[in-house]
Amino acid sequence: MPKPRLYSGMQPSSGSLHLGNYIGALQQWRGMQDEYDAFFSIVDLHAITVAQDPKVLREQVRTLAAQYIAGGIDPDRSCLYVQSHVAAHAQLQWLLSTITGFGEASRMTQFKDKTAKGGQETASVGLFTYPILMAADILLYDTEVVPVGDDQKQHVELTRDLAERFNKRFGSTFTVPKPVILANGARIYDLQSPASKMSKSADNDKGVVWLLDEPARTAKKIRSAVTDTEGSIRADRAEKPGVTNLLDILSAMTGTPVPGLEAEFAGQGYGVFKTAVADAVVAELAPVRERTLELLADPAELDRLLAANAERAAAVADATLGRALEAMGL
Ligand code: ADP
Ligand code: NA
């Protein structure tokens, strides 16, 4: 039996991934490569829905590709490609936009959140239709499984609705995908304000561990993480968000479930605990950082690899697009 198809992607919208991206996406993906026929995309078409600097964007695409590979995505096993290298994404997005209701698109909460501050007047139409492009991304690969954070679940629901609608209207064309929502511990919070998730758009850089930070800087950020005055190392999301976050981080780094860590650190102080977390994060990330920098030192080789993978992706995507065009009478 062929393996089920999996699709996921990240925007090249920062130079370095952060520890949340690493634990919540990259680590999970890495572990899924055996079980699934996986497509991992660098979604640069999504990144241009907000203002971009062309030179910076091109660098960020390479940097993200290098981090995917350094973090364990194997480009010989999984397909690791850049979205804009496969023309079918934009083409299918147009087809799908003609069967998406304006009201339906208007109900996407991420657009509302993203424009809550700046106002909808200045937002691009591309930011508004972003979820339809995401639907095209997923449907082009006959995707069965989409691992996403809960903030993307509504977009996968839209994708399912569009696939079902298209199939009903024009005949069976698309596979209807399922979201796989990641486990609770896979959500990582800001070290300085542990009520908010760790994010590239954080106000305070001390709360965010970057994959490409120098190891000493990473260790310092973790040792300065906000905790509480209770002094005991136990998980309690509501009362002890800082300590709980550090337990989740240590668990993700070591593979030891949180209860095991609580037992291990019973009676210990926060200083000892934070040092253990810092050591574990540095031990995991330092080699990934080194490998990323090595890969970035040979951009021509990276570009060659991405071009070869884009060809593999296009072969699948073009076939699906062909079916959709045919079904619609085009
Ligand atoms: P950001 O929130 O920093 O803008 P993205 O929205 O680009 O990050 O997310 C890229 C991927 O990383 C997604 O799969 C998302 O679910 C995951 N991710 C982002 N932030 C976190 C976090 N704090 N904890 C766990 N996973 C995260
Ligand atoms: Na996000």
Side-chain angles (χ1 to χ4, degrees):
M1 266 223 342
K3 293 178 186 179
R5 193 60 69 65
L6 176 148
Y7 185 93
S8 205
M10 275 194 264
Q11 287 193 48
S13 46
S14 62
S16 174
L17 293 176
H18 56 67
L19 187 60
N21 303 137
Y22 184 79
I23 293 173
L26 209 43
Q27 251 195 347
Q28 315 282 328
W29 295 356
R30 175 166 81 205
M32 294 172 127
Q33 294 179 99
D34 283 331
E35 203 181 328
Y36 296 98
D37 178 19
F39 283 70
F40 297 115
S41 177
I42 294 172
V43 293
D44 55 350
L45 293 175
H46 285 280
I48 62 169
T49 56
V50 295
Q52 94 284 148
D53 174 329
K55 262 209 214 106
V56 172
L57 179 62
R58 189 160 293 122
E59 262 332 290
Q60 288 180 343
V61 166
R62 285 202 189 101
T63 307
L64 183 53
Q67 289 172 100
Y68 274 18
I69 298 168
I73 302 303
D74 176 357
D76 293 326
R77 231 183 344 154
S78 300
C79 187
L80 189 183
Y81 75 100
V82 180
Q83 183 189 29
S84 67
H85 295 179
V86 178
H89 288 261
Q91 292 173 275
L92 183 60
Q93 193 247 349
W94 178 256
L95 304 186
L96 293 176
S97 77
T98 67
I99 65 160
T100 307
F102 182 78
E104 185 177 37
S106 304
R107 283 190 290 277
M108 296 295 118
T109 56
Q110 195 171 72
F111 177 76
K112 289 190 207 165
D113 294 345
K114 284 188 175 170
T115 55
K117 279 187 214 148
Q120 300 192 349
E121 194 57 33
T122 52
S124 72
V125 173
L127 188 66
F128 180 71
T129 57
Y130 181 117
I132 310 174
L133 179 58
M134 183 168 156
D137 301 340
I138 295 167
L139 297 181
L140 279 174
Y141 297 92
D142 294 320
T143 303
E144 286 162 77
V145 167
V146 189
V148 284
D150 49 10
D151 53 333
Q152 292 292 328
K153 186 162 184 267
Q154 194 188 28
H155 295 164
V156 181
E157 289 304 329
L158 175 71
T159 305
R160 289 170 54 84
D161 289 346
L162 292 178
E164 280 166 359
R165 187 175 308 155
F166 190 105
N167 289 346
K168 205 164 156 219
R169 210 173 282 179
F170 301 112
S172 180
T173 304
F174 296 124
T175 302
V176 181
K178 280 194 201 60
V180 170
I181 306 299
L182 300 171
N184 207 348
R187 167 119 311 174
I188 302 305
Y189 294 85
D190 189 285
L191 297 176
Q192 290 300 317
S193 34
S196 330
K197 66 168 211 159
M198 190 177 284
S199 164
K200 61 176 166 270
S201 40
D203 298 329
N204 181 357
D205 190 65
K206 279 166 63 184
V208 182
V209 168
W210 298 102
L211 203 93
L212 300 181
D213 269 347
E214 296 268 357
R217 190 170 165 74
T218 296
K220 189 164 174 219
K221 283 180 179 176
I222 292 169
R223 285 196 310 267
S224 319
V226 165
T227 48
D228 54 65
T229 55
E230 189 204 34
S232 75
I233 296 158
R234 57 182 185 86
D236 180 339
R237 180 77 61 207
E239 299 298 325
K240 297 168 68 68
V243 170
T244 306
N245 189 37
L246 290 174
L247 281 166
D248 284 338
I249 291 171
L250 186 56
S251 176
M253 296 295 104
T254 58
T256 307
V258 168
L261 295 173
E262 288 173 323
E264 189 181 329
F265 286 95
Q268 303 268 23
Y270 288 165
V272 171
F273 174 55
K274 284 178 173 178
T275 300
V277 179
D279 288 350
V281 171
V282 167
E284 170 91 12
L285 294 192
V288 178
R289 173 176 180 272
E290 289 294 313
R291 183 75 187 119
T292 302
L293 298 178
E294 268 171 36
L295 288 161
L296 287 173
D298 191 353
E301 172 59 18
L302 258 184
D303 288 352
R304 191 202 56 75
L305 198 145
L306 290 172
N309 274 254
E311 248 180 70
R312 280 165 63 199
V316 178
D318 290 348
T320 312
L321 176 67
R323 291 201 309 269
L325 288 166
E326 176 75 25
M328 291 182 97
L330 296 165

